[in-house]
């Protein structure tokens, strides 16, 4: 049996504790203090020895601060253990995985270099935005899916003949898997995002959603723009209720309000990012992958 020690960063302490319990591994907590000038001071209570050290930290907002905290913890424990893994349940910067416009930087590649330089040997993510983001990290990496646990939650809701909807063609495979597990059908909308303004539009023509309850499935919600546009479009086509299932609910600024105002009945997300909608626990998915 591999001997793990789990360290929880401040952005993921609850999830890290759950993972430690499942793995029957010791849990080490970390401290964080923010100075008036914005610098953070990270402290670690205890230094693990003779084990595989797994540092768990999502990099949701404040993205750079949470990332720096992760890098700091890793660089400290790396001095005492040669086997330091990280679990980054929500991986920030994964959407910056290619040069969409001239002059853009593939920042997820920079994040990979930083993680490698601090001493990370292996990374585990949950529903990372794209396969190319995982590749750009250039460190042995694995991605696990939260779709099964999300579907389990929806099965308990006993919805009658729901239709699964992907808000864009990029999410088609995810929606297909979700629909298969839920034993129902799915459609994928066509979405366009203006790379300069960030505004989204739905380009699909007529869709057959009349009188059906819908579950929009996405990897993440940030501003809510994609979900709002998709919901308004689907409501025009006379669907019944709209639910949203996503792995990472960033819900920045007033995203929740905008989504509710658009007519969404409920947002269900996972605890890769803590929050009101985080009803689904991914600790089993992560600990099974670590074992
Ligand atoms: C895009 O391809 C992603 O899968 C999400 O749909 C998108 O990042 C969500 O962002 P927002 O909520 O700002 O529209």
């Amino acid at each position: 049996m591999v001997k793990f020690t789990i360290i929880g960063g401040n952005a993921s302490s609850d999830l890290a504790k759950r993972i430690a319990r499942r793995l029957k591994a010791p849990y080490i907590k970390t401290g964080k203090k923010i100075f008036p000038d914005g610098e953070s001071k990270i402290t670690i209570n205890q230094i693990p020895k003779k084990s595989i050290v797994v540092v768990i930290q999502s990099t949701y907002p404040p993205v750079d601060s949470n990332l720096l905290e992760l890098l700091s913890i890793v660089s400290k424990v790396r001095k005492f253990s040669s086997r330091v893994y990280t679990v980054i349940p929500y991986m920030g910067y994964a959407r910056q995985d290619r040069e969409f416009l001239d002059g853009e930087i593939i920042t997820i590649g920079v994040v990979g270099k930083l993680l490698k330089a601090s001493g990370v040997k292996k990374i585990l993510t949950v529903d990372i935005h794209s396969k190319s983001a995982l590749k750009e990290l250039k460190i042995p990496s694995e991605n696990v899916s939260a779709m099964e646990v999300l579907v389990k939650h929806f099965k308990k809701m006993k919805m009658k003949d729901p239709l699964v909807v992907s808000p864009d063609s990029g999410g088609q495979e995810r929606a297909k898997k979700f629909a298969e597990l839920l034993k129902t059908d799915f459609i994928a909308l066509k979405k366009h995002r203006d790379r300069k303004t960030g505004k989204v539009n739905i380009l699909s023509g007529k869709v057959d959603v009349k009188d059906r309850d819908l579950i929009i499935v996405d990897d993440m919600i940030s501003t809510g723009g994609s979900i709002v546009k998709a919901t308004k479009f689907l409501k025009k086509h006379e669907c019944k209720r709209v639910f949203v299932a996503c792995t990472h609910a960033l819900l920045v600024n007033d995203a929740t309000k905008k989504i509710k105002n658009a007519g969404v009945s409920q947002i269900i997300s996972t605890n890769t990012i803590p929050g009101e909608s985080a009803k689904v626990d991914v600790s089993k998915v992560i600990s099974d992958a670590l074992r």
Side-chain angles (χ1 to χ4, degrees):
M1 181 93 164
V2 197
K3 195 172 171 256
F4 291 109
T5 297
I6 305 294
I7 302 183
N10 287 280
S12 296
S13 52
D14 180 61
L15 178 57
K17 276 181 211 157
R18 287 169 185 265
I19 293 167
R21 275 201 295 273
R22 285 188 184 275
L23 293 173
K24 298 189 174 32
Y27 174 79
I28 296 178
K29 69 172 183 182
T30 51
K32 183 174 186 170
K33 181 181 163 188
I34 311 278
F35 288 108
D37 63 359
E39 282 183 7
S40 46
K41 179 177 178 166
I42 312 300
T43 47
I44 173 157
N45 275 16
Q46 198 188 322
I47 300 294
K49 286 182 187 124
K50 289 186 192 152
S51 63
I52 297 180
V53 181
V54 185
V55 185
I56 303 180
Q57 171 91 325
S58 276
T59 54
Y60 56 82
V63 182
D64 295 342
S65 171
N66 283 335
L67 176 62
L68 188 62
E69 177 181 341
L70 171 63
L71 295 167
S72 304
I73 299 168
V74 171
S75 65
K76 178 78 177 176
V77 293
R78 172 65 188 88
K79 289 183 188 152
F80 303 88
S81 169
S82 59
R83 290 180 299 171
V84 183
Y85 299 170
T86 59
V87 176
I88 310 178
Y90 167 68
M91 172 67 94
Y93 287 111
R95 289 182 294 175
Q96 296 189 46
D97 60 346
R98 68 198 74 179
E99 272 186 73
F100 293 100
L101 298 175
D102 280 352
E104 286 183 356
I105 291 159
I106 302 174
T107 311
I108 191 66
V110 180
V111 171
K113 284 182 193 158
L114 291 169
L115 288 164
K116 194 170 184 176
S118 68
V120 172
K121 289 283 178 282
K122 205 170 148 188
I123 302 173
L124 181 73
T125 58
V126 183
D127 288 327
I128 191 166
H129 179 66
S130 70
K131 282 188 187 140
S132 55
L134 204 64
K135 227 168 112 197
E136 285 297 338
L137 288 169
K138 298 198 172 88
I139 306 180
S141 310
E142 186 188 344
N143 179 64
V144 291
S145 169
M147 287 306 122
E148 270 184 45
V149 277
L150 276 164
V151 168
K152 247 189 197 166
H153 183 94
F154 275 87
K155 274 188 178 160
K156 280 191 221 140
M157 290 164 68
K158 297 202 186 323
M159 292 167 66
K160 203 173 155 270
D161 190 30
L163 174 69
V164 175
V165 181
S166 169
D168 50 42
S169 48
Q172 183 155 335
E173 280 310 306
R174 191 179 302 118
K176 185 169 177 244
K177 183 174 175 185
F178 195 100
E180 275 168 9
L181 292 166
L182 199 59
K183 298 195 174 27
T184 189
D185 47 347
F186 80 98
I187 58 166
L189 303 180
K190 282 198 193 94
K191 178 180 98 177
H192 173 260
R193 185 184 291 274
D194 184 310
R195 288 281 157 204
K196 285 206 172 112
T197 63
K199 287 236 162 71
V200 293
N201 272 309
I202 302 297
L203 306 177
S204 300
K206 198 174 160 16
V207 287
D208 187 10
V209 295
K210 196 165 186 295
D211 294 332
R212 287 188 75 178
D213 278 339
L214 308 180
I215 308 171
I216 303 179
V217 178
D218 212 343
D219 58 331
M220 59 184 287
I221 306 173
S222 179
T223 63
S226 304
I227 298 296
V228 167
K229 282 285 161 85
T231 304
K232 287 185 176 164
F233 172 83
L234 295 161
K235 290 267 176 189
K236 268 194 205 143
H237 288 80
E238 299 175 57
C239 65
K240 267 162 70 184
R241 296 175 299 171
V242 176
F243 293 82
V244 175
C246 80
T247 309
H248 316 292
L250 292 169
L251 296 168
V252 299
N253 303 328
D254 58 348
T256 308
K257 198 169 151 205
K258 285 196 296 194
I259 291 171
K260 290 277 162 72
N261 287 347
V264 168
S265 303
Q266 212 182 336
I267 306 168
I268 305 287
S269 65
T270 78
N271 57 350
T272 59
I273 299 175
E276 207 189 309
S277 62
K279 306 262 189 265
V280 174
D281 179 22
V282 288
S283 64
K284 182 169 186 316
V285 183
I286 293 173
S287 29
D288 285 350
L290 285 171
R291 270 193 186 105

